Amino acid sequence: MAPTIATEDYLKTVFAMHTHGEAVTTTALARRLGLSPPSVSAMLKRLTAEQLVERPAGRRVTLTPRGRQQALRVVRRHRLIETFLADVVGVPWDEVHAEAEVLEHAVSDRLEERIDAVLGHPTHDPHGDPIPPRSGAHHESWSDPLATAHAGDHFRVERVSDRDSAALRYLAELGIKPGVVLEVTDWAPFGGPLWVRLDGQRHALGTALSHLVHGTVLRQEP
């Protein structure tokens, strides 16, 4: 049976929550999807019956191998569409997620592969999220957030959360995107902002923003 839009949305969301290290419960999933817990519970029963998810003792939700396979197909299509919209159509990176949420359910497998070929088989989308291959293994994890860096560190941005479009728009204005290297200059005391330098300009990032930007420390001063 072909998956429905609702099925794809649920599987993709469960996958995303797992990769963020979040506990996938009925309540947490309902909050993430903006639905009522009874509605989510009913859908989870259906997905369990279809052997797409498992709920040991009725608690945390996990994807079955079949469910993970279907989730990765949706994730791949979503991220390819985001990349196409950003690189070919010129849609700002803070808008591509919402557009891809709609288009991911309408694009056929054949068109998906044409998009992949036109783009040159990209490995990451505009936010730095890895694009799953059409077949084969896919490993996904989040590197450390910028919030864990210290003054004197050089921090290479690898991935930026796409859940807050306003934050993405602001970060784009600062030039903070995957691939750039930030110099962490200072942490203001008493919960103050993190100061970074990029292209000779200093910028202050609040705690929320510093948790959206993920990457790797390249050098740490003693």
Side-chain angles (χ1 to χ4, degrees):
M1 183 180 296
T4 65
I5 292 176
T7 297
E8 291 184 339
D9 285 341
Y10 269 80
L11 296 179
K12 183 182 67 174
T13 302
V14 172
F15 173 81
M17 294 176 70
H18 272 300
T19 59
H20 277 87
E22 301 176 35
V24 186
T25 63
T26 300
T27 301
L29 194 56
R31 188 183 307 114
R32 183 75 171 262
L33 292 168
L35 300 172
S36 68
S39 296
V40 171
S41 181
M43 184 62 171
L44 289 176
K45 289 180 180 179
R46 173 185 164 188
L47 296 178
T48 301
E50 294 179 4
Q51 299 182 343
L52 296 172
V53 302
E54 296 175 330
R55 290 194 299 169
R59 293 186 177 277
R60 296 188 178 185
V61 181
T62 60
L63 294 170
T64 64
R66 178 165 169 257
R68 176 179 168 81
Q69 182 182 35
Q70 289 197 21
L72 286 175
R73 289 185 62 227
V74 185
V75 171
R76 169 180 166 81
R77 197 179 309 134
H78 178 98
R79 293 176 181 174
L80 280 172
I81 292 171
E82 286 191 335
T83 307
F84 179 80
L85 291 175
D87 293 357
V88 178
V89 184
V91 178
W93 80 331
D94 56 287
E95 298 179 15
V96 294
H97 177 73
E99 296 292 346
E101 286 283 288
V102 178
L103 295 173
E104 68 189 23
H105 303 295
V107 170
S108 66
D109 290 345
R110 183 178 179 183
L111 180 55
E112 173 193 309
E113 291 311 300
R114 290 292 297 273
I115 291 173
D116 186 35
V118 167
L119 293 172
H121 309 291
T123 59
H124 293 77
D125 73 8
H127 311 108
D129 298 327
I131 299 175
R134 182 168 177 80
S135 60
H138 174 72
H139 174 72
E140 184 159 342
S141 62
W142 285 81
S143 50
D144 292 332
L146 180 58
T148 62
H150 300 87
D153 287 345
H154 283 67
F155 187 90
R156 182 180 61 223
V157 179
E158 298 171 348
R159 195 170 182 181
V160 181
S161 174
D162 61 7
R163 293 181 62 184
D164 189 330
S165 59
L168 282 174
R169 190 158 49 249
Y170 179 69
L171 290 170
E173 292 173 358
L174 302 182
I176 298 177
K177 58 184 179 180
V180 305
V181 176
L182 307 173
E183 179 187 355
V184 180
T185 61
D186 192 23
W187 269 105
F190 306 107
L194 168 69
W195 286 89
V196 299
R197 181 179 288 112
L198 175 63
D199 296 331
Q201 300 291 321
R202 292 184 75 232
H203 306 290
L205 301 179
T207 301
L209 280 177
S210 66
H211 278 90
L212 296 179
V213 179
H214 294 253
T216 302
V217 172
L218 301 180
R219 179 173 60 84
Q220 186 173 14
E221 296 291 348

